[in-house]
Amino acid sequence: MSTTDSLFKESAPRTARAALPEQIAYEGIKFRSVRSTIWTTVATAVVPVLGAVFVAASDSLQDDDTVLGGSLTLTVVAQMLAAVTGAILVTGEYSSGTIRTTLAANPRRTTVLAAKATVLAALTYGLALLSCTLAYVVGDALLPSGKYPAGQPWPALFGIAASFSVAALLGLALGTLVRHSAGAVTTVIGVLLLPSLFGPLFGDAQRWIAGLSPTATLEKLTQTSDASAEAVGSLGPWPSLALVSGYTVVLLLLAGTAFRRRDA
């Protein structure tokens, strides 16, 4: 019997329909019980720090780069891992069949999805803020003193952490809609990369097309020298974060509607 089955078997006689706080507790336990979500989350937290060490050791920064941008070079990779975590958080339950156990214990599907989103967003935000702040501190300590400007880490680091949560929720929404791990992961990686790749092909609309990508938002917030208007659009970092957050909320609402109407 799996950990999830045991958990709900013990809880079901006490309350057939868990409220949101109780469902959040259930989702937290399930999150910690699945190896795939644990390892992708650990990788999400570790990659930015390793990136800061690598950039400092390789002395590969451009003259116009900043300590913040250089230290957070690999945060784009970490953000992709956060999006993958969000996707497999729900598709893993579909592939293992435990989604039926979850919905048998709590038929309120909106509550179940809201609890998954709450756990995922809070955990991703906290880990990303800690990891990226540590990466910046490590980069500042290892890079040559005074050679590069520091950049403006505050409040950018709070926005960077928020962009991780948005990417994770985007993965959760697409995972709920697709219900297949490989398909969901492929789709969310495409959403993260394609706007920046094809944005320059849309002329004056590039600032909006390229700005649709969470990776473009992240590159602007990290103030990296690679975040040129030609590459990631001319929309500012905070408007870009608001735009990405807005369509992620819309996708979550669509995912919630599909989750309520479809069979498990």
Side-chain angles (χ1 to χ4, degrees), residues 33-48:
S33 303
V34 180
R35 290 182 181 178
S36 57
T37 54
I38 289 294
W39 282 112
T40 52
T41 302
V42 169
T44 302
V46 170
V47 164

Side-chain angles (χ1 to χ4, degrees), residues 138-155:
V138 169
D140 189 41
L142 296 180
L143 288 169
S145 179
K147 184 175 181 179
Y148 304 101
Q152 298 177 340
W154 310 107

Side-chain angles (χ1 to χ4, degrees), residues 36-172:
S36 57
T37 54
I38 289 294
W39 282 112
T40 52
T41 302
V42 169
T44 302
V46 170
V47 164
V49 181
L50 293 179
V53 174
F54 175 78
V55 168
S58 63
D59 193 24
S60 58
L61 287 189
Q62 303 297 318
D63 292 338
D64 59 346
D65 222 327
T66 64
V67 173
L68 178 66
S71 302
L72 301 183
T73 297
L74 291 188
T75 48
V76 170
V77 177
Q79 189 189 52
M80 290 181 184
L81 290 171
V84 170
T85 302
I88 64 176
L89 179 63
V90 64
T91 58
E93 284 202 63
Y94 277 106
S95 62
S96 66
T98 54
I99 189 69
R100 290 190 290 274
T101 307
T102 299
L103 296 179
N106 187 359
R108 294 179 178 176
R109 299 189 177 204
T110 301
T111 302
V112 171
L113 187 60
K116 288 183 184 297
T118 302
V119 170
L120 181 65
L123 183 62
T124 306
Y125 186 90
L127 284 177
L129 183 60
L130 178 63
S131 173
C132 293
T133 301
L134 181 59
Y136 171 70
V137 171
V138 169
D140 189 41
L142 296 180
L143 288 169
S145 179
K147 184 175 181 179
Y148 304 101
Q152 298 177 340
W154 310 107
L157 284 167
F158 292 108
I160 291 167
S163 78
F164 273 67
S165 291
V166 170
L169 292 174
L170 183 62
L172 177 66

